[in-house]
Amino acid sequence: VEEVAGDVTVSGNIHIQIKDRRPSGIWCNEGFENDCYFFDDLGVIFKPSFAFTGSVYTRWKKEGGDLSIGQTVPCLPGCTDPLYVQFLAEHKITEGEVRDDVYTLHSLDGYVIKASLDPKVVMNHVRMVEEKKVDLKTLEYIDARLENKIYYK
């Protein structure tokens, strides 16, 4: 539950509104496959998740980043930005690893994106590669860590 609000009407009726948390992604601890939790658009971990196939949600992890319910994921701002979450889904990004302020994003299409902490830079760089009519499925990697340069192979 994200939020609960209630009021009493003049006639004495009680109205309660409950807003559930909605998953934005999955955070996995050191066990990665067995110790995973949903987090919301604020980055708050709120309930255990289950194993997914495909790219329903991006699974995030960080070496030594063991978290539990109520804590905030350390991949902010990127992993909770709605446009970035949509971008990750469109590009079939199934796993994201945070290490030394660098994201490593793994696509089901076989390529990897090395990314900075700024999701706008990552999205712009990938779009620039796509505009060059490069088939992302043929790439090994896209290096989107620098704001003014892009490398891909």
Side-chain angles (χ1 to χ4, degrees), residues 26-30 32 35-37 59-62 65:
I26 296 173
W27 179 264
C28 295
N29 289 324
E30 288 288 334
F32 199 61
D35 191 17
C36 300
Y37 301 87
R59 293 181 298 169
W60 294 91
K61 68 176 181 175
K62 179 178 182 177

Side-chain angles (χ1 to χ4, degrees), residues 22-91:
R22 299 185 70 195
S24 236
I26 296 173
W27 179 264
C28 295
N29 289 324
E30 288 288 334
F32 199 61
E33 293 296 327
N34 303 319
D35 191 17
C36 300
Y37 301 87
F38 287 108
F39 62 85
D40 65 10
D41 60 350
L42 298 174
V44 176
I45 293 174
F46 66 94
K47 74 177 181 179
S49 75
F50 42 89
F52 284 98
T53 57
S55 58
V56 176
Y57 297 103
T58 301
R59 293 181 298 169
W60 294 91
K61 68 176 181 175
K62 179 178 182 177
E63 191 174 302
D66 290 345
L67 299 175
S68 59
I69 293 173
Q71 293 182 296
T72 303
V73 296
C75 55
L76 298 171
C79 61
T80 60
D81 179 307
L83 288 175
Y84 197 50
V85 171
Q86 180 181 348
F87 167 85
L88 296 173
E90 288 170 358
H91 289 84

Side-chain angles (χ1 to χ4, degrees), residues 11 23 28-29 48 60 127 133 145:
S11 60
C28 295
N29 289 324
W60 294 91
R127 286 191 186 108
K133 305 295 185 209
R145 291 178 284 183

Side-chain angles (χ1 to χ4, degrees), residues 58-138:
T58 301
R59 293 181 298 169
W60 294 91
K61 68 176 181 175
K62 179 178 182 177
E63 191 174 302
D66 290 345
L67 299 175
S68 59
I69 293 173
Q71 293 182 296
T72 303
V73 296
C75 55
L76 298 171
C79 61
T80 60
D81 179 307
L83 288 175
Y84 197 50
V85 171
Q86 180 181 348
F87 167 85
L88 296 173
E90 288 170 358
H91 289 84
K92 302 177 189 170
I93 304 298
T94 57
E95 293 180 12
E97 183 177 353
V98 183
R99 185 181 300 231
D100 299 327
D101 292 339
V102 174
Y103 294 162
T104 302
L105 308 171
H106 301 271
S107 172
L108 277 177
D109 287 334
Y111 63 92
V112 171
I113 302 172
K114 294 285 188 183
S116 70
L117 293 176
D118 185 348
K120 290 181 181 91
V121 171
V122 176
M123 292 186 289
N124 287 337
H125 279 40
V126 172
R127 286 191 186 108
M128 285 191 306
V129 172
E130 291 172 324
E131 286 171 3
K132 293 180 182 242
K133 305 295 185 209
V134 173
D135 182 2
L136 298 181
K137 294 176 186 175
T138 64

